[in-house]
């Protein structure tokens, strides 16, 4: 009953949590008064016997079966073997907890690294909303080192949603106030180094996504070797909403993917392949499902979409093992072409029209122009070959310039205080 109605709890769980006998009496009173949709009385087992004594139909022993007149444990079917940590019903206490399961390899307040089978390492982020703080970055770096040394692969997964909402602004802003822009530049450099470390790790890194993967969480996913996503995943680069540009390699990824797609086509013009990625980043578009995220380019055709969120970890672990067994190797670092100043000029023309038409503000136009300059490679000729590090340096420069802008600071403070984007 949860799935079809989008409920966190089913109707009997809600009834049980509200007070089993109290609600049962209210329902029976409505039936007796003719206020209910049915005149059939509630069965006797609702008021008397094991259910009434237990305070509901779900217990540690199992769930009540009216036909068998006893509590029945969960069925052990082969399909459920794919669910390492199934979602608990209210009252259940005998299911494994992902927070303590398996063998712990390293543990901190920010991150736990552990393994279920001794073959694939799992990294679970512990911070609020799984935001990427400096401690999380350090933990992930150590997890990659450990995986390369002792394991066949690494899976980034947490048992509760979201996957990650990106960089921890609340942890970053105090450093900016105390140490100035140099502190922000240092954090951005470390975050970019983490993304490159993920991409070129010597073991396959699989991001197991369910819920939101926004901003830095999206960048964490796209720089992994493979992604396994629950169907109901929300993936996107949303930094424009707080007046910033993606600063952890998201725009570099868009430029590189455009070059790769152009190389596989007969056309030589890069700009058509950049358009969708640029628009998604500049308008902070978020894929509202795994399939839509694939259309936006945040998931590839080789990535796996899983209908049931409780099976995401099982599939991700097997994907990491399969990649290792098949001789997977990290990609070679290589240069790729960019659209250059001619691409920037074309995009700028469109942005001026949008601003003059009242579709975007002056600050929106300023941010989108910076995004265009990064994905097109800056002030270079069309077709110039650049590296990921070069584009990431442009990202850092734009990010650090924007975080000092008064209108961006208004957006950041508005988001931190109200949780809603500020349009200025």
């Amino acid at each position: 009953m949860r799935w079809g109605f989008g409920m966190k709890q089913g109707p009997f769980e809600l009834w049980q949590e509200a007070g089993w006998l109290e609600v049962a009496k209210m329902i029976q009173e409505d039936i007796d008064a003719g206020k209910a949709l049915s005149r059939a009385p509630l069965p006797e087992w609702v008021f008397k016997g094991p259910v009434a004594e237990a305070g509901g139909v779900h217990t540690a022993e199992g769930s009540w079966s009216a036909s068998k007149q006893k509590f029945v444990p969960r069925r052990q079917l082969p399909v459920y073997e794919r669910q390492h940590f199934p979602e608990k019903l209210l009252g259940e206490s005998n299911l494994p907890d992902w927070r303590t399961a398996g063998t712990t390899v390293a543990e901190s307040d920010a991150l736990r690294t552990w393994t279920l089978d001794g073959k694939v390492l799992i990294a679970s982020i512990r911070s609020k909303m799984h935001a990427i703080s400096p401690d999380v970055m350090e933990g992930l770096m150590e997890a990659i080192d450990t995986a390369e040394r002792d394991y066949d692969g690494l899976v980034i997964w947490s048992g509760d949603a979201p996957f990650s909402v990106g960089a921890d602004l609340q942890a970053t802003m105090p450093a900016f106030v105390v140490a100035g822009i140099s502190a922000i530049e240092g954090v951005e450099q470390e975050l970019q180094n983490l993304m490159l470390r993920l991409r070129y790790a010597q073991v396959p890194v699989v991001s197991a996504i369910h819920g939101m993967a926004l901003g830095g969480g999206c960048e964490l996913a796209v720089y992994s070797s493979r992604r396994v996503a629950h169907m109901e995943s929300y993936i996107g680069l949303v930094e424009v909403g707080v007046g910033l540009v993606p600063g952890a390699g998201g725009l570099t990824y868009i430029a590189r993917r455009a070059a790769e797609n152009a190389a596989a086509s007969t056309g030589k013009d890069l700009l058509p392949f950049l358009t969708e990625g640029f628009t998604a980043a500049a308008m902070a578009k978020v894929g509202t499902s795994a399939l839509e995220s694939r259309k936006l380019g945040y998931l590839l055709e080789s990535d796996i979409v899983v209908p049931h969120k409780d099976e995401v970890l099982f599939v991700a672990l097997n994907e990491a093992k399969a990649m290792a067994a098949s001789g997977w190797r990290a990609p070679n670092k290589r240069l790729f072409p960019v659209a250059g100043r001619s691409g920037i000029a074309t995009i700028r023309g469109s942005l001026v029209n949008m601003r003059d038409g009242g579709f975007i503000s002056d600050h929106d136009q300023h941010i989108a122009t910076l995004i265009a300059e990064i994905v097109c490679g800056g002030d270079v000729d069309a077709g110039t070959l650049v590296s990921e590090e070069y584009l990431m340096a442009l990202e850092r420069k734009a990010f650090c310039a924007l975080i000092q802008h008064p209108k961006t600071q208004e957006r950041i403070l508005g988001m931190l205080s109200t949780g809603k984007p500020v349009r200025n």
Side-chain angles (χ1 to χ4, degrees):
M1 290 295 286
R2 292 177 177 183
W3 274 16
F5 297 94
M7 294 178 177
K8 189 174 182 180
Q9 293 179 307
F12 285 95
E13 288 177 280
L14 291 169
W15 181 351
Q16 184 168 328
E17 191 169 46
W20 183 262
L21 286 176
E22 291 83 352
V23 173
K25 288 173 183 176
M26 287 189 283
I27 294 172
Q28 189 59 55
E29 286 172 6
D30 283 350
I31 293 172
D32 295 340
K35 296 179 181 179
L37 294 175
S38 172
R39 294 183 180 180
L42 291 175
E44 188 177 354
W45 61 260
V46 171
F47 298 97
K48 298 178 182 178
V51 172
E53 292 167 8
V57 294
H58 300 302
T59 68
E61 301 171 46
S63 297
W64 180 255
S65 169
S67 61
K68 296 180 180 179
Q69 289 292 297
K70 65 177 182 178
F71 291 104
V72 178
R74 279 180 181 250
R75 285 181 290 179
Q76 299 298 316
L77 300 177
V79 67
Y80 296 141
E81 294 175 6
R82 296 169 58 89
Q83 300 176 14
H84 289 303
F85 303 100
E87 192 171 348
K88 291 181 180 179
L89 292 167
L90 184 70
E92 277 191 306
S93 59
N94 56 349
L95 291 179
D97 188 344
W98 63 272
R99 296 172 184 83
T100 55
T103 303
T104 300
V105 176
E107 194 169 15
S108 69
D109 291 340
L111 190 86
R112 178 186 180 227
T113 51
W114 53 291
T115 181
L116 280 174
D117 57 7
K119 295 181 179 179
V120 176
L121 190 66
I122 303 169
S124 298
I125 301 173
R126 286 178 158 178
S127 57
K128 183 180 179 181
M129 299 293 283
H130 303 153
I132 304 172
S133 64
D135 289 340
V136 171
M137 286 186 264
E138 183 181 350
L140 285 172
M141 282 286 202
E142 291 175 0
I144 297 168
D145 291 340
T146 302
E148 287 181 333
R149 186 176 62 248
D150 300 323
Y151 295 88
D152 292 337
L154 173 65
V155 170
I156 302 173
W157 173 87
S158 298
D160 54 345
F163 175 72
S164 174
V165 295
D168 190 346
L169 286 175
Q170 286 185 318
T172 304
M173 290 307 290
F176 172 58
V177 172
V178 173
I181 199 63
S182 60
I184 298 297
E185 190 167 6
V187 171
E188 282 300 296
Q189 178 81 66
E190 289 177 17
L191 197 49
Q192 291 175 343
N193 290 342
L194 170 62
M195 299 307 165
L196 292 176
R197 186 77 177 88
L198 285 170
R199 175 164 165 75
Y200 296 107
Q202 296 307 300
V203 291
V205 179
V206 179
S207 281
I209 306 165
H210 69 102
M212 296 180 289
L214 305 178
C218 174
E219 289 162 319
L220 195 67
V222 299
Y223 275 86
S224 299
S225 315
R226 188 70 50 85
R227 288 139 295 278
V228 174
H230 176 225
M231 179 66 80
E232 194 175 340
S233 296
Y234 304 87
I235 307 174
L237 298 170
V238 297
E239 286 85 350
V240 170
V242 289
L244 296 168
V245 298
L251 301 180
T252 300
Y253 167 80
I254 288 171
R256 177 174 56 79
R257 284 295 302 160
E260 290 169 352
N261 290 335
S265 76
T266 55
K268 294 184 178 180
D269 186 6
L270 273 171
L271 198 56
F273 298 95
L274 266 179
T275 303
E276 190 166 18
F278 165 79
T279 303
M283 302 298 288
K285 282 187 178 180
V286 175
T288 55
S289 70
L291 299 182
E292 189 175 341
S293 299
R294 180 174 276 161
K295 290 179 182 177
L296 293 176
Y298 299 130
L299 296 179
L300 306 182
E301 291 300 323
S302 56
D303 295 330
I304 300 171
V305 177
V306 180
H308 198 308
K309 70 178 181 63
D310 291 342
E311 295 183 4
V312 169
L313 177 61
F314 174 88
V315 176
L317 290 171
N318 280 280
E319 190 68 13
K321 292 174 191 174
M323 291 170 73
S326 63
W328 176 90
R329 292 292 179 270
N332 291 323
K333 284 194 175 185
R334 61 184 66 186
L335 305 179
F336 51 89
V338 289
R341 63 178 70 90
S342 60
I344 297 172
T346 302
I347 294 173
R348 273 181 173 166
S350 300
L351 293 174
V352 168
N353 290 336
M354 292 181 71
R355 182 203 61 193
D356 292 346
F359 296 103
I360 58 174
S361 67
D362 286 340
H363 195 48
D364 288 329
Q365 183 198 4
H366 176 56
I367 298 168
T369 300
L370 291 175
I371 291 174
E373 290 173 356
I374 296 165
V375 298
C376 292
D379 188 18
V380 297
D381 293 332
T384 299
L385 299 178
V386 301
S387 66
E388 289 170 302
E389 289 82 359
Y390 167 79
L391 290 181
M392 285 183 171
L394 295 182
E395 286 186 14
R396 279 200 312 278
K397 181 180 177 182
F399 189 96
C400 292
L402 281 170
I403 205 167
Q404 298 176 83
H405 198 291
K407 289 193 174 182
T408 287
Q409 291 175 4
E410 285 177 20
R411 292 190 182 190
I412 292 173
L413 292 174
M415 179 62 75
L416 290 177
S417 59
T418 68
K420 298 178 181 178
V422 174
R423 307 309 303 168
N424 56 5

